[in-house]
Amino acid sequence: MDCVVIFYIMYIIIFIIIIRRYKAKAKWFVIEGNIGSGKSSLLARLRINDNKWEKIPEPVNLWLEIKDDKGKNLLEAFYENPERYAHLFQTVVTATRIGVLLEKQNNKKNIISERSPWTDRIVFGKLCIDSGKMNSLEARSFTCWCDILLSKFVGKPDGIIYLQTSPEKCMERMKKRGRNEESSVSYEYLEKVHEYHENWIYKTNIPVLIIDNNYDNNWENVIKQVKNFINN
């Protein structure tokens, strides 16, 4: 009987160790939402254990560093002339997101990132394709290499934190912060970005936390929800 009890206890201990090791695998959560939905603000305010978590802001600075001979950066060029620069912009954006993500994944820490390469494939890239901002050759080229990298190297996140915000509120915040590159962003574009986000979020099989972020200065409540989501 003692041997059976000892064996049973050892079995439970080994089982717990295996489960803990499985749960200890690094996780990846993404913060999604429209332009002006509050993604950067949430990431900056989120206080998590730096020894276990890595925060990845959107690599906008990398896009701003790419300029033409007249000093116009890539983001500004895309917003002003999307028909001309959609393919180039989405290619650079997706590639830089993947590069930063893979670099951080080598640290073996849990990751929470502002948007993801999936956003470019399912939201922004698809919107450019559907609206004719990319021609057929550009569209097929983008989806081909993007799908290969996402399936072979990136994988899907463990959870999505979706800051659901109306286009009206996004436009209000965008005008208030006054970024030069966003001066040509139209309300119609924000409506489309909102629509594509909604279509993705409500159809995905990835766990999603949806937060109504139409309210300003509600960060204590938002952060509480986020911490509960990523720690469970």
Side-chain angles (χ1 to χ4, degrees):
M1 181 64 70
D2 289 343
C3 291
V4 174
V5 173
I6 292 172
F7 175 81
Y8 182 75
I9 292 173
M10 289 299 296
Y11 173 82
I12 296 297
I13 292 173
I14 292 172
F15 179 77
I16 292 174
I17 291 173
I18 292 173
I19 292 298
R20 283 184 175 178
R21 284 183 177 178
Y22 175 79
K23 288 187 175 180
K25 186 183 72 171
K27 295 182 179 181
W28 173 34
F29 292 89
V30 298
I31 302 172
E32 295 288 353
N34 207 337
I35 304 166
S37 61
K39 302 177 302 299
S40 300
S41 297
L42 171 57
L43 194 65
R45 287 173 167 82
L46 190 60
R47 297 289 179 263
I48 45 182
N49 190 333
D50 292 338
N51 295 321
K52 296 181 179 180
W53 288 89
E54 186 88 42
K55 297 195 294 185
I56 304 179
E58 199 166 30
V60 180
N61 60 311
L62 297 178
W63 315 334
L64 300 183
E65 289 174 0
I66 302 175
K67 299 179 180 180
D68 62 17
D69 294 339
K70 297 180 180 179
K72 182 174 293 185
N73 64 64
L74 185 58
L75 181 59
E76 187 178 6
F78 167 69
Y79 280 144
E80 288 185 1
N81 190 357
E83 288 80 5
R84 168 67 179 83
Y85 293 106
H87 181 259
L88 174 62
F89 178 71
Q90 284 302 149
T91 297
V92 171
V93 167
T94 309
T96 52
R97 282 199 216 276
I98 292 174
V100 172
L101 178 63
L102 294 180
E103 179 184 353
K104 296 299 183 181
Q105 285 178 333
N106 288 331
N107 296 335
K108 307 301 182 182
K109 293 182 180 181
N110 296 320
I111 290 173
I112 182 163
S113 66
E114 181 182 357
R115 291 208 177 112
S116 74
W118 289 99
T119 325
D120 299 307
R121 177 63 180 88
I122 299 173
V123 178
F124 292 100
K126 189 175 188 306
L127 176 54
C128 286
I129 293 170
D130 292 348
S131 61
K133 301 298 188 299
M134 293 187 199
N135 61 44
S136 59
L137 187 60
E138 290 172 333
R140 289 164 189 162
S141 172
F142 174 77
T143 55
C144 177
W145 73 260
C146 195
D147 288 346
I148 291 173
L149 291 181
L150 287 175
S151 61
K152 300 295 183 181
F153 299 102
V154 177
K156 292 185 178 181
D158 295 282
I160 298 173
I161 300 154
Y162 176 47
L163 299 181
Q164 190 177 50
T165 313
S166 70
E168 293 86 358
K169 191 64 178 179
C170 290
M171 177 62 78
E172 175 189 321
R173 290 174 179 164
M174 193 175 65
K175 288 182 176 180
K176 185 177 181 179
R177 69 189 182 191
R179 293 177 184 171
N180 182 61
E181 292 80 16
E182 296 174 344
S183 60
S184 58
V185 176
S186 67
Y187 176 76
E188 289 72 24
Y189 181 70
L190 293 180
E191 281 189 312
K192 280 295 183 181
V193 173
H194 177 78
E195 175 188 334
Y196 276 63
H197 269 99
E198 295 277 304
N199 288 339
W200 173 31
I201 293 300
Y202 282 101
K203 292 178 181 178
T204 185
N205 57 3
I206 300 171
V208 178
L209 169 65
I210 299 177
I211 298 176
D212 182 352
N213 205 40
N214 286 292
Y215 305 97
D216 296 325
N217 302 316
N218 189 36
W219 291 115
E220 183 177 350
N221 178 48
V222 169
I223 289 172
K224 182 179 179 181
Q225 293 183 65
V226 170
K227 286 187 174 182
N228 288 335
F229 182 66
I230 65 177
N231 289 321
N232 291 329

